[in-house]
Amino acid sequence: MENFTASAPGKVILFGEHFVVYGEPAIAVALDLRVEATAYRCEKSIVEGLRTPLVERAIEEALRFVNRSGEAVCVRLRSNLPISVGLGSSAATAVAVIASITGLFGVKPSRDRLFRMALEVEKTVHVNPSGIDPAISVNGGAILYRRGRGIEPIKLGGDFTLVIGNTGVPRSTGAMVEKVRLFAENHPRVMDRLRAAASSIASEALEALEKGDVEKLGRLMDVNHGLLEAIGVSSLELERLVYAARRAGALGAKLTGAGGGGCMVALVAGKRVEAVVEAIRKAGGEPMVAPISRVGVLYGNG
Ligand code: PMV
């Protein structure tokens, strides 16, 4: 049976989540945790492995791109990326599904086109996505992202490890984005100042990342966490893990992604990794040393 496999990575946002929805810059790195999609011709469309409305939208987008709208195509999904915890599983799924179907029909969209299709699909998850998740999933590595202006690849300097802590508390990106929208509506001047601060943090962090100034990066992550707490997207469980990581010697720690549950991320120098992992576990989280990936979307026959 003719088939085509493609995969795409998840991500962790280091700086600027939520503020990126309002046009401020944000920084994300790709994780070597991937969603793999295999597309094959069949009589009646089915999705194996993961059933979300998002996959059906991704299939529609891809078929439209290859001028096969309405035809049947089947997709089998596999993933080692935890779902709905802020590590970009929905964007990675959209990118992998679209790439597998276009690949099946012998077409490879440009990265920008693939990004735009995945962004359309993300709108099934929440109405106003900034695009940072599909951008990092398509491109891999580390990027500075600004809504409407695209990506700037970042060269990572310095010696550090990212440790992720999953609270295990479910959350919805759409609900958190809506919560921030209401905050911005009720406190427009406060939001303006917080946005400006988030923007300064992201540009200083870009410099620190490129120079490998890990102490400064850690400090900026702590400040960024404070802003996220201020707009109401932290939670007791996230705070517990953030403080546990800091106490165990992390250079900085913050929630990552939409918040309200899901994951936090700590920046850790080599010697302290074990201590931070243990501290997160003791504080009730599920720790994971984040495997950073240079590779974005990958096309290949399975
Ligand atoms: O879905 P998550 O948890 O990775 O959050 C995405 C990041 C947000 O800034 C909260 C939303 C967006 O569209 O950028």
Side-chain angles (χ1 to χ4, degrees):
M1 177 176 53
E2 195 196 344
N3 63 42
F4 194 91
T5 296
S7 71
K11 64 93 212 342
V12 59
I13 298 179
L14 292 186
F15 294 96
E17 53 273 269
H18 283 293
F19 299 100
V20 69
V21 173
Y22 296 84
E24 308 306 338
I27 295 175
V29 295
L31 295 176
D32 199 15
L33 297 170
R34 305 180 73 87
V35 176
E36 184 187 271
T38 299
Y40 54 96
R41 307 298 298 268
C42 56
E43 296 286 306
K44 189 173 176 296
S45 297
I46 37 167
V47 179
E48 297 170 61
L50 210 139
R51 251 197 177 282
T52 75
L54 179 142
V55 177
E56 268 127 50
R57 274 291 291 124
I59 294 174
E60 265 172 43
E61 277 294 324
L63 286 176
R64 175 137 30 99
F65 180 73
V66 295
N67 292 322
R68 303 278 187 147
S69 287
E71 286 190 21
V73 65
C74 287
V75 178
R76 196 164 48 236
L77 285 161
R78 288 201 318 193
S79 169
N80 56 6
L81 186 62
I83 286 171
S84 289
V85 295
L87 299 182
S89 61
S90 57
T93 303
V95 172
V97 167
I98 295 169
S100 70
I101 295 171
T102 58
L104 181 69
F105 290 98
V107 187
K108 196 169 157 186
S110 68
R111 283 186 172 195
D112 184 55
R113 188 62 206 263
L114 181 58
F115 159 75
R116 281 187 282 125
M117 285 192 274
L119 180 58
E120 279 309 305
V121 174
E122 277 248 289
K123 292 183 183 162
T124 28
V125 183
H126 72 102
V127 284
N128 188 19
S130 69
I132 189 167
D133 283 19
I136 184 68
S137 191
V138 167
N139 291 285
I143 61 165
L144 181 92
Y145 178 83
R146 204 176 274 209
R147 192 170 192 168
R149 295 210 213 153
I151 66 145
E152 198 181 299
I154 302 175
K155 249 208 205 130
L156 292 181
D159 197 10
F160 62 83
T161 300
L162 296 175
V163 179
I164 292 170
N166 185 356
T167 60
V169 177
R171 38 90 296 149
S172 138
T173 301
M176 298 316 288
V177 169
E178 175 60 14
K179 189 173 182 192
V180 176
R181 193 190 65 74
L182 285 175
F183 173 84
E185 197 174 283
N186 291 328
H187 308 278
R189 278 175 305 166
V190 177
M191 184 62 175
D192 281 351
R193 297 295 166 93
L194 295 174
R195 279 177 55 179
S199 175
S200 304
I201 290 170
S203 43
E204 286 195 23
L206 175 64
E207 260 179 56
L209 261 176
E210 289 181 335
K211 278 197 198 136
D213 186 345
V214 290
E215 304 275 336
K216 184 169 178 182
L217 262 183
R219 190 74 197 95
L220 290 169
M221 280 171 75
D222 288 348
V223 183
N224 193 156
H225 180 75
L227 296 187
L228 292 164
E229 212 279 324
I231 59 174
V233 297
S234 191
S235 70
L236 186 56
E237 292 82 1
L238 282 165
E239 294 297 323
R240 279 202 185 107
L241 302 192
V242 163
Y243 277 87
R246 289 178 188 161
R247 253 199 320 248
L251 297 166
K254 63 182 274 293
L255 72 85
T256 184
C263 291
M264 50 72 72
V265 60
L267 183 82
V268 190
K271 287 185 300 216
R272 305 303 302 172
V273 172
E274 262 318 300
V276 171
V277 163
E278 266 322 297
I280 289 173
R281 203 191 312 277
K282 275 209 191 105
E286 194 190 315
M288 174 174 61
V289 173
I292 295 177
S293 171
R294 275 173 213 250
V295 186
V297 63
L298 256 183
Y299 292 83
N301 228 333

